[in-house]
Amino acid sequence: MNDKERVAHYAAQKIKDGMLVGLGTGSTANYFIEELARRRSEDGLCVRVVSSSVVSAVKAQSLQLPLLGFESINHIDVYVDGADEVTPDLTLLKGRGFDLVREKLLARAADEFWVLIDSSKRVDYIGANYAIPIEVMPFAWQMVKHTLELLGGRGNLRQTTHKDGLVVSSYGSLVLDMTFESGLDSQVLNNLLNNTPGVVEHGIFHNLATAVLCTVDDDVVEQLA
Ligand code: 5RP
């Protein structure tokens, strides 16, 4: 079992009967979805799920997990997802999968938000290893980019692997991947991005995680916020 699988299985064991569970997106989330479905079919675990992305929704449905429509819920028990970076104060960088809107809504709507990582995801500051994904209204991308450049940001629109293709989110947003000076505090950046017109959502998750579950050697260690 690899680290992602181990931490995902550990998290799935913590799910209790009756819970409404938010499903994340990515390879770690996929392992969690598979183990949750196994517990439902083999152990009789009674859960309902809601998904942060079309991809995870399709996976959940294919494994017969009872999937609720996103628009039908206003609150969930727990949201379980991976992350790209985690700082010591449990600020996260997310969004390599780019559909950030539903991810942040579920993180906010959840009583608990468990973040599943291995130790390679731990960083001293947000932006240490990755650019910050910023979903923008398509017609606003030049204005947003210019505003962020005046704040020291550098970057460009995310491209698909196809020739000349741009990544477009499920809701039609484009994605700017921007880097900022390493000294720029992530809370300051979070506030700046929240207050920039044309930004739909961004990958800094500040004050949202309630626990980080991290593989250490053969174990999983829980860090509570
Ligand atoms: C998707 C995310 C993912 O959770 C993040 O990219 C981690 O992915 P993985 O589990 O594949 O390492 O934020 O938007």
Side-chain angles (χ1 to χ4, degrees):
M1 209 184 274
N2 66 37
D3 280 357
K4 290 183 178 192
E5 205 170 353
R6 187 165 336 109
V7 71
H9 281 221
Y10 180 95
Q13 300 311 312
K14 287 165 60 76
I15 300 297
K16 297 191 173 63
D17 263 333
M19 278 184 161
L20 175 51
V21 182
L23 304 177
T25 300
S27 53
T28 315
N30 277 343
Y31 286 125
F32 173 77
I33 295 168
E34 285 166 10
E35 180 59 9
L36 195 65
R38 190 203 61 76
R39 284 200 64 204
R40 179 175 177 273
S41 67
E42 293 180 16
D43 306 344
L45 179 72
C46 178
V47 283
R48 293 168 306 153
V49 298
V50 60
S51 177
S52 63
S53 67
V54 174
V55 173
S56 294
V58 169
K59 186 168 184 73
Q61 275 181 314
S62 74
L63 295 171
Q64 282 82 50
L65 282 166
L67 181 71
L68 301 188
F70 201 95
E71 58 289 338
S72 70
I73 56 134
N74 58 15
H75 166 260
I76 62 175
D77 295 301
V78 61
Y79 177 45
V80 185
D81 201 355
D84 300 306
E85 295 182 348
V86 179
T87 65
D89 73 350
L90 305 196
T91 300
L92 317 175
L93 184 69
K94 289 184 50 54
R96 300 314 301 166
F98 70 75
D99 267 341
L100 290 159
V101 175
R102 286 209 266 177
E103 290 191 359
K104 205 170 274 188
L105 281 166
L106 287 179
R108 179 71 76 190
D111 283 345
E112 296 186 28
F113 174 19
W114 304 342
V115 183
L116 314 184
I117 59 165
D118 59 54
S119 48
S120 71
K121 305 282 183 79
R122 292 211 183 264
V123 293
D124 291 333
Y125 61 92
I126 288 299
N129 295 331
Y130 292 103
I132 294 162
I134 302 162
E135 274 192 57
V136 292
M137 300 297 287
F139 51 80
W141 78 269
Q142 291 274 24
M143 286 190 187
V144 172
K145 183 167 180 268
H146 181 66
T147 302
L148 298 179
E149 282 171 348
L150 294 177
L151 300 169
R154 293 288 172 268
N156 225 323
L157 289 174
R158 193 180 294 182
Q159 308 279 325
T160 63
T161 47
H162 310 298
K163 190 169 168 279
D164 297 333
L166 287 178
V167 163
V168 180
S169 80
S170 304
Y171 328 102
S173 311
L174 299 178
V175 183
L176 281 168
D177 283 317
M178 302 290 288
T179 54
F180 293 84
E181 285 173 34
S182 57
L184 192 53
D185 180 70
S186 58
Q187 190 173 346
V188 171
L189 193 50
N190 178 56
N191 293 340
L192 282 172
L193 293 171
N194 286 348
N195 290 327
T196 301
V199 170
V200 177
E201 195 47 90
H202 60 84
I204 300 175
F205 284 49
H206 185 68
N207 267 344
L208 288 170
T210 60
V212 167
L213 282 52
C214 181
T215 52
V216 178
D217 300 324
D218 285 343
D219 286 332
V220 173
V221 173
E222 290 189 42
Q223 181 187 356
L224 301 180

